[in-house]
Amino acid sequence: METKYIFVTGGVVSSLGKGIISSSLANLLIARGYRVTIQKFDPYINIDPGTLNPYEHGECYVTVDGHEADLDLGHYERFTDIHTTRANNITTGRIYRSVIDKERRGDYLGKTVQIVPHITDEIKRAVKALGNTGDFDFIITEIGGVVGDIESLPFLEAVRQLRWELGDNSLCIHLTYVPYIAAAKELKTKPTQHSVKKLQELGIQPDILVLRTEHHIGNDMRRKIALFCNVAPDAVVQSIDVDTIYRVPLRMHEQGLDDIVLRKTHAGPHPEPDMAAWLDFLHKMDNADDTVTIGLVGKYVELQDAYKSINEALFQAATYNTHKLKLVYIHSEKLTDADAGEKLGRMDGVIIAPGFGQRGIEGKFAALRYCREHDIPTFGICLGMQCMVIEYARDVLGLPDANSTEMSPSTPHPVIDLMEEQKSISNLGGTMRLGAYDCRLTAGSRAAAAYGTTDIRERHRHRFEFNNSYREAFEQAGMACTGINPASGLVEVVEIPSLRWFIGTQYHPEYSSTVLHPHPLFMSFMRAAIAYRDERAKSEKH
Ligand code: GLN
């Protein structure tokens, strides 16, 4: 089959869930046996989101090949189990950088370099690069932003040209919003009509409309929209709010979204999607009666998307253990030794979040002190693991000034320190230890038991490391280093074997937890949290 290209654009407002619709479509096509990948273009000038703070676009996701990516790539992986790479997330900045590099090299042979055709050609190349690998039947390309933005114009022009070149091997899905005006008790189609007009002005005729709505859109209204927008009535699909994003693939399938895509791209005869495993997950979710309460200690608690992958990994692990997840955000800046008991005492498990910089760090130490002394299942991720090490050094090793050189460059006890090769780096973007690295776990450790193996590979995003000159002191004092990078000897996992479940990972396991393959460490953490809750419940009864 020739590779088919599906473009996903958005209109009216942002945050309509283009990423979820793209992921859901990919999920359905994969369930039918097709090879699919998803790509996102972000129209901002940053080379990648690695230097953006979480207030801008939420969490920074990391691909196996070490690309700092938009959080939508996390949805792509969670919905499909595919591994994305740097080819799956491209910004305006990267497009311009490569065009400017070519100009400097003289590749344009003295021509004036322009948005059309040079920038648009570069965009088209980036779209086709995935198709040219021969690895995929479908490439789904999500265009970030909203139609009508200045920033997205070159991307839409590239889509227009590609649609023309690719003909039936491509199509455009446009996602819009149908607002409900409460006072008039009416859904309104005008914003959708306007946004489709805008797309048509740019030379793109959408083939399928997905309408995001909070209320059911009836057939009459769909027919009206179809008529005004030159779209077949059955190609007008509604995306109504659901309790969890993981229901969206089924909602799309019920309305035939995947069928329409296959029909319009002439993909030939195709099997029905095999959704058994997905349905099993939803069934577990719907039948989860008991609740497990997990506290997440971090400094971005007011931001829904800052810890997206952790939230999803926890939700998946709770669901597979047939529990509802109650996630309690605990602001690390407001947490002290005095109120740690009040805030953490009722938690079944505690996550100490990743992060950068000094803000909120003392609260993480207070949380860890409380959790360690009260033997609450505790999971430290990246900075969370580094904090575990620092707190242990201060309170158990008797080194009250111990710190990370990130927080205190002149600390006398740099238990977390910069690697030699990081010391000369002054640029921020793309310079951390990024992407997947091998790790060997100690046989018999809790981490190895969780994974069921000793050889693992996990994704990293950090600059600082456990300082190996303190390793012996930690091990003697009861904190074991149970995961080591075989090539560099860097410590990747620490745990306190004498406690119920107290593990810190220098890497980010949350990036590789998916709906069909929940992460083994999150699963193990969740089992420990549930067991701890049951144990407390039992002793309270007596
Ligand atoms: N700030 C720490 C470092 O750079 C941890 C980073 C993180 O939590 N992702 O090493």
Side-chain angles (χ1 to χ4, degrees), residues 354-356 382-383 386 406 461-464 508:
F356 294 83
C382 207
L383 179 64
Q386 297 176 353
E406 179 181 10
R461 181 176 185 246
H462 56 99
R463 226 179 278 288
F464 295 83
H508 290 265

Side-chain angles (χ1 to χ4, degrees), residues 7-11 18 141 143 145 147 156 159 172-175 199:
F7 300 100
V8 180
T9 56
K18 283 195 296 270
T141 301
I143 310 291
V147 170
L156 294 170
V159 171
C172 170
I173 300 177
H174 188 57
L175 193 66
L199 203 55

Side-chain angles (χ1 to χ4, degrees), residues 126-160:
V127 174
K128 286 190 180 157
L130 286 170
N132 292 342
T133 60
D135 294 340
F136 305 108
D137 301 316
F138 286 91
I139 313 288
I140 301 175
T141 301
E142 180 188 344
I143 310 291
V146 175
V147 170
D149 293 346
I150 292 175
E151 280 90 346
S152 48
L153 283 174
F155 292 102
L156 294 170
E157 170 58 13
V159 171
R160 184 193 68 76

Side-chain angles (χ1 to χ4, degrees), residues 255-452:
Q255 298 176 79
L257 178 69
D258 45 334
D259 277 307
I260 304 166
V261 166
L262 292 167
R263 196 177 70 221
K264 283 191 184 287
T265 55
H266 306 293
H270 40 264
E272 275 299 298
D274 175 4
M275 299 297 282
W278 197 267
L279 285 168
D280 181 52
F281 174 80
L282 293 179
H283 181 78
K284 286 200 169 72
M285 188 182 83
D286 290 335
N287 289 290
D289 294 330
D290 291 339
T291 300
V292 57
T293 308
I294 304 292
L296 189 148
V297 181
K299 65 178 166 180
Y300 295 116
V301 291
E302 69 284 28
L303 272 184
Q304 251 196 41
D305 282 348
Y307 305 113
K308 190 88 203 160
S309 295
I310 294 180
N311 300 357
E312 298 306 315
L314 286 170
F315 176 71
Q316 290 152 6
T319 303
Y320 276 102
N321 284 291
T322 50
H323 273 67
K324 283 192 181 16
L325 172 69
K326 182 173 171 205
L327 191 54
V328 181
Y329 292 100
I330 299 157
H331 203 312
S332 55
E333 268 186 296
K334 297 186 183 140
L335 188 69
T336 62
D337 285 324
D339 65 6
E342 183 194 316
K343 288 178 175 163
L344 300 169
R346 284 189 308 279
M347 298 300 140
D348 303 324
V350 173
I351 297 265
I352 311 293
F356 294 83
Q358 173 70 31
R359 187 162 73 86
I361 202 92
E362 292 300 326
K364 287 187 174 169
F365 297 141
L368 283 163
R369 196 169 294 129
Y370 183 86
C371 291
R372 184 175 54 74
E373 285 171 355
H374 293 80
D375 199 0
I376 300 175
T378 305
F379 193 174
I381 300 177
C382 207
L383 179 64
M385 169 271 199
Q386 297 176 353
C387 288
M388 271 183 173
V389 170
I390 298 167
E391 189 276 330
Y392 207 71
R394 289 183 180 182
D395 297 335
V396 181
L397 267 58
L399 307 172
D401 300 324
N403 215 331
S404 162
T405 48
E406 179 181 10
M407 317 304 162
S408 167
S410 60
T411 170
H413 293 292
V415 290
I416 303 293
D417 198 6
L418 214 49
M419 275 182 306
E420 214 40 56
E421 53 266 41
Q422 283 281 348
K423 287 187 179 158
S424 57
I425 295 174
S426 56
N427 266 3
L428 287 184
T431 56
M432 283 185 259
R433 177 144 87 106
L434 289 166
Y437 285 86
D438 289 334
C439 172
R440 169 111 359 110
L441 302 170
T442 309
S445 65
R446 198 159 276 141
Y451 281 95

Side-chain angles (χ1 to χ4, degrees), residues 158-211:
V159 171
R160 184 193 68 76
Q161 293 180 21
L162 282 165
R163 290 280 287 115
W164 181 249
E165 285 168 29
L166 295 163
D168 285 346
N169 284 330
S170 72
L171 60 75
C172 170
I173 300 177
H174 188 57
L175 193 66
T176 75
Y177 182 50
V178 177
Y180 179 76
I181 308 293
K185 295 199 178 57
E186 265 187 74
L187 285 162
K188 292 293 183 186
T189 66
K190 201 64 90 187
T192 295
Q193 295 180 42
H194 279 299
S195 128
V196 171
K197 286 249 148 56
K198 192 88 216 162
L199 203 55
Q200 289 166 340
E201 277 169 27
L202 299 170
I204 302 172
Q205 170 61 48
D207 300 276
I208 299 172
L209 295 178
V210 176
L211 310 173

